[in-house]
Amino acid sequence: MKFLLGLLGLVGVVQSNYIPIEQQQGLLVEEPQGLLVEQDEIKLSFIDEIFGDLINNEQVLNHKMDSLSRGELRYDDDNGDGSLSIKSLKHSKLTLPNDNYIDDLFDRLLYAGIVTFAHLPTLNCFDYNSTDKIDIAILGAPFDTGVSYSPGARFGPNGIRQGGRRLGGGLTSVRGFKNSLIRKIDPYKSGLNIVDCGDIPMLPFDNRVALNQLYRGSRVIHNHDVLNSTKYERPRIITLGGDHTITLMGLKSAFETFHDPNDKISVIHFDSHIDTWDPKVLGGGISNYAGLNHGTFLHYAAEAGYINKNSSLHVGIRAPYISDNDIDHDIECGFKMITAREIDDTEEEGGGIKGIVKRIKDIVGGTKVYITVDIDVLDPSTAPGTGTMEVGGFTSRELISILDGLEGIDLIGADVVEVSPPFDTRAGITTLVAAQVVDSFLGLMAVKEIY
């Protein structure tokens, strides 16, 4: 069988004229380097010239010449005039490095290497004897046994890291409003030591043990000294959930680390559900063990005294209530409310992105703030990969714009939760927007340090 010696073959011409195979024998001589060449010149194909020795080393070239002389290969006469269609395409010959050269194997590729959030460095953060200093820590909480509907959020931390592969390294998107300070900064190049601590190994068989593991892991991170932070004495943690139950442990550790003796922590709760349900209404009517879940954790946080009841609020609420007492109980837990549909009101009415931002900042004031974002605050069209979807939510642009608009708040901790990759699209749009939420958290934390 004869093969075409075209794009991937050795293109040989003598004075650019086609030479029949039967006349080609005897024209080959050997140069001192050992390569078989034609008496006039050898012209390689465009592809051959690009890949060079990678596909055409001495052994391969000799083999091709032998095959040509035996009639197993022939020239590709595409133009019908004896010339080759590829002859006008030229490319500089590639010089490959030494086979033992490895420096370029460490180059940053968006889809290669160990997956951390935004390609941040990893660190074993769970050692009280460690002398490593941390300004901001990314922490995974793979937990979903507190859900009331669809599980899968235990895979959220890994999904969010996958969604953040295009972040960092100068690939930061435009932030905030026009002329805002946050638009001028890149948190990844802010001088802050931001590390990915990996995931807490949360036991899937007993929620009490799992949540305690998360608390102890968060506590040891908060015990580290800071490196370059000038406004905080302890690291701030951004937690990747996990279902919303995990926020209780994040709040507990942040409260113990940062709260003012004369005040508590203001919570900005982005969600479609209130999550202050009385445990007797959601779960607790079955057993005390079931009382703590992703819909009651804010009840327990308020009961424990972590929440500043004068300056905390829900944003994006639209899910139905369970009992007639839910609204009164929510007020008792200390929360004000901005519903999802208020995004459509005018700024003068306190609606729209800027109107909502102003209301949030007026409510939290200068207090220490913890932000928790349930990804189901977004519309299912934007974030289908979550456990309890509710229609009529924010778009990703609206959420990110509201978050970025909060520049200047004293953000001491944050999380994004209820990201369930098994329910996401093939394109991973939910994990993508969740990663952008974390990016906004980093922007809020960095801008407070710089300005």
Side-chain angles (χ1 to χ4, degrees):
M1 177 181 292
K2 294 184 178 181
F3 300 91
L4 289 179
L5 184 58
L7 290 180
L8 292 178
L10 175 64
V11 178
V13 270
V14 178
Q15 298 177 347
S16 301
N17 292 324
Y18 172 76
I19 302 176
I21 292 175
E22 60 271 15
Q23 296 180 19
Q24 293 170 13
Q25 305 212 12
L27 291 179
L28 303 179
V29 297
E30 185 169 328
E31 285 192 340
Q33 293 85 355
L35 288 180
L36 290 175
V37 299
E38 293 190 350
Q39 288 178 341
D40 238 4
E41 66 174 318
I42 286 182
K43 293 185 179 179
L44 298 178
S45 72
F46 181 54
I47 299 300
D48 283 339
E49 289 186 349
I50 290 177
F51 286 93
D53 293 342
L54 186 64
I55 61 171
N56 278 313
N57 55 28
E58 177 180 340
Q59 180 181 359
V60 172
L61 286 173
N62 286 335
H63 174 74
K64 288 183 176 180
M65 283 299 193
D66 288 342
S67 298
L68 184 64
S69 67
R70 292 193 299 268
E72 296 172 354
L73 295 176
R74 64 183 174 83
Y75 292 116
D76 184 9
D77 187 11
D78 287 342
N79 294 337
D81 58 0
S83 64
L84 298 172
S85 60
I86 207 70
K87 70 177 182 180
S88 61
L89 297 176
K90 297 294 181 183
H91 196 283
S92 59
K93 182 178 179 181
L94 173 67
T95 301
L96 292 172
N98 181 282
D99 289 349
N100 294 322
Y101 181 80
I102 61 171
D103 289 2
D104 61 341
L105 302 184
F106 299 95
D107 289 350
R108 182 180 183 272
L109 273 180
L110 299 180
Y111 50 83
I114 297 173
V115 178
T116 63
F117 183 82
H119 303 275
L120 292 170
T122 59
L123 182 68
N124 177 12
C125 307
F126 313 118
D127 183 356
Y128 277 107
N129 297 318
S130 173
T131 59
D132 293 309
K133 296 180 179 181
I134 305 170
D135 293 318
I136 301 174
I138 305 295
L139 175 64
F143 175 88
D144 61 9
T145 48
V147 300
S148 57
Y149 198 58
S150 300
R154 68 181 63 184
F155 304 111
N158 179 64
I160 297 169
R161 290 187 179 98
Q162 292 283 345
R165 286 176 296 176
R166 292 172 57 208
L167 298 173
L171 302 178
T172 307
S173 60
V174 174
R175 306 169 186 279
F177 301 141
K178 186 177 180 180
N179 299 322
S180 62
L181 296 176
I182 201 171
R183 181 163 287 195
K184 301 177 182 179
I185 62 108
D186 178 352
Y188 307 100
K189 297 179 181 178
S190 62
L192 296 175
N193 186 30
I194 310 172
V195 301
D196 192 330
C197 296
D199 294 353
I200 292 287
M202 300 179 71
L203 187 74
F205 307 113
D206 192 316
N207 291 1
R208 296 165 296 184
V209 175
L211 293 172
N212 179 255
Q213 288 174 313
L214 177 58
Y215 164 66
R216 287 184 283 115
S218 300
R219 190 169 182 267
V220 70
I221 294 174
H222 278 137
N223 190 66
H224 283 255
D225 290 326
V226 296
L227 182 63
N228 294 320
S229 176
T230 59
K231 298 187 178 179
Y232 300 90
E233 296 180 355
R234 296 296 175 189
R236 291 172 287 172
I237 299 175
I238 298 173
T239 306
L240 316 179
D243 78 50
H244 221 152
T245 316
I246 64 102
T247 299
L248 181 61
M249 296 299 102
L251 271 173
K252 180 179 181 180
S253 186
F255 174 81
E256 293 172 352
T257 304
F258 293 106
H259 88 282
D260 188 313
N262 299 318
D263 209 346
K264 300 170 185 178
I265 294 177
S266 300
V267 175
I268 305 175
H269 174 226
F270 289 86
D271 205 320
S272 62
H273 311 87
I274 56 173
D275 291 349
T276 54
W277 275 289
D278 189 323
K280 295 178 181 178
V281 174
L282 185 62
I286 301 173
S287 70
N288 291 332
Y289 177 87
L292 175 57
N293 55 63
H294 73 159
T296 63
F297 70 93
L298 285 177
H299 163 95
Y300 284 99
E303 191 174 70
Y306 304 148
I307 294 176
N308 189 329
K309 295 186 178 182
N310 297 316
S311 55
S312 296
L313 73 158
H314 309 296
V315 183
I317 299 298
R318 62 188 185 279
Y321 298 119
I322 297 176
S323 75
D324 295 337
N325 191 49
D326 287 346
I327 296 178
D328 291 338
H329 184 71
D330 185 63
I331 294 172
E332 290 173 2
C333 288
F335 282 86
K336 299 176 176 59
M337 185 183 300
I338 297 175
T339 65
R341 295 198 179 194
E342 291 179 67
I343 195 75
D344 298 320
D345 293 343
T346 65
E347 186 176 341
E348 291 73 21
E349 296 173 316
I353 292 172
K354 291 187 176 181
I356 289 176
V357 166
K358 184 179 184 305
R359 288 168 65 187
I360 294 173
K361 295 177 81 170
D362 286 346
I363 291 172
V364 301
T367 62
K368 290 180 170 59
V369 175
Y370 187 100
I371 298 179
T372 176
V373 173
D374 186 328
I375 208 66
D376 73 21
V377 72
L378 298 173
D379 191 79
S381 61
T382 297
T386 190
T388 318
M389 294 183 290
E390 304 288 350
V391 299
F394 293 155
T395 66
S396 58
R397 176 181 54 79
E398 290 166 342
L399 174 61
I400 298 302
S401 295
I402 292 171
L403 288 173
D404 288 351
L406 299 177
E407 74 170 58
I409 65 170
D410 189 1
L411 185 61
I412 51 87
D415 62 54
V416 57
V417 299
E418 299 287 351
V419 176
S420 183
F423 293 95
D424 207 359
T425 65
R426 288 186 177 183
I429 60 174
T430 310
T431 58
L432 191 64
V433 69
Q436 198 65 50
V437 167
V438 177
D439 183 80
S440 289
F441 292 157
L442 290 171
L444 293 175
M445 290 180 174
V447 75
K448 186 71 174 178
E449 295 273 5
I450 297 172
Y451 295 103

